[in-house]
Amino acid sequence: MSGHSHGGGGGHGSCADDEHSHDDGPERGMQFTLFTKIDKDNVECLNEVDDGSGKLVFKPWNERLNKEKFVESDADEELLFNIPFTGHVKLKGIVVIGGEEDYHPSQMRLFKNRPHMTFDDARAEPDQVFEMQRDSTGDLEYSTK
């Protein structure tokens, strides 16, 4: 997927890696969403400014662009999400919709099957690291290994 443009006037340039893909089919997210498999009551977000706001960012595909519910990190600009599922799942990709301007993550570290992680635990080697591109529309999907 090298050399494709991100479009949208955000000055994104071009992508030179296979870490994410563009699939413009409107049914993509509805067809493959794991939203219903997330144990939403037990999602944990560490470092959130407003307690409980991290749980609110997981939304059905058709509500993904609603930015009324969002999470913001406190002083050190890092968040750690513990996302339990209600059963076994195969995570094939991740979509992260950031905010405007500089309100978007620059990197995401994925740790699989490590419940109740802390920031001390996150010092370990992650299963995968993603260099994030600014995306306020949910067009980018980061493929997992």
Side-chain angles (χ1 to χ4, degrees):
M1 290 251 178
S2 61
H4 62 277
S5 174
H6 280 253
H12 298 123
S14 62
C15 301
D17 59 44
D18 289 324
E19 250 183 30
H20 67 271
S21 65
H22 300 263
D23 183 350
D24 296 331
E27 292 83 29
R28 170 185 56 126
M30 292 173 71
Q31 195 172 29
F32 299 109
T33 185
L34 290 178
F35 175 74
T36 60
K37 304 288 186 193
I38 295 173
D39 182 359
K40 292 171 241 6
D41 290 336
N42 291 306
V43 168
E44 299 172 332
C45 181
L46 306 182
N47 252 14
E48 59 193 344
V49 170
D50 297 320
D51 284 344
S53 62
K55 293 180 180 191
L56 303 177
V57 299
F58 298 95
K59 306 169 190 167
W61 182 255
N62 61 332
E63 295 178 22
R64 72 191 182 285
L65 298 178
N66 180 345
K67 295 185 181 180
E68 291 176 16
K69 298 176 184 174
F70 59 92
V71 64
E72 224 176 338
S73 64
D74 65 8
D76 72 0
E77 299 184 357
E78 289 187 359
L79 293 169
L80 192 150
F81 284 93
N82 286 295
I83 308 166
F85 294 94
T86 58
H88 294 287
V89 298
K90 171 81 172 148
L91 184 64
K92 295 182 178 187
I94 301 170
V95 174
V96 177
I97 299 175
E100 304 300 325
E101 312 274 326
D102 292 331
Y103 295 102
H104 194 281
S106 59
Q107 187 182 75
M108 177 175 50
R109 297 166 37 106
L110 176 63
F111 297 89
K112 297 178 186 175
N113 300 317
R114 302 187 204 179
H116 308 291
M117 284 189 69
T118 66
F119 279 102
D120 287 339
D121 298 327
R123 292 184 184 142
E125 188 68 28
D127 292 289
Q128 195 168 353
V129 176
F130 303 91
E131 297 303 323
M132 309 293 288
Q133 303 292 321
R134 186 172 294 172
D135 180 16
S136 59
T137 59
D139 291 332
L140 300 178
E141 180 174 348
Y142 296 90
S143 299
T144 58
K145 295 179 184 176

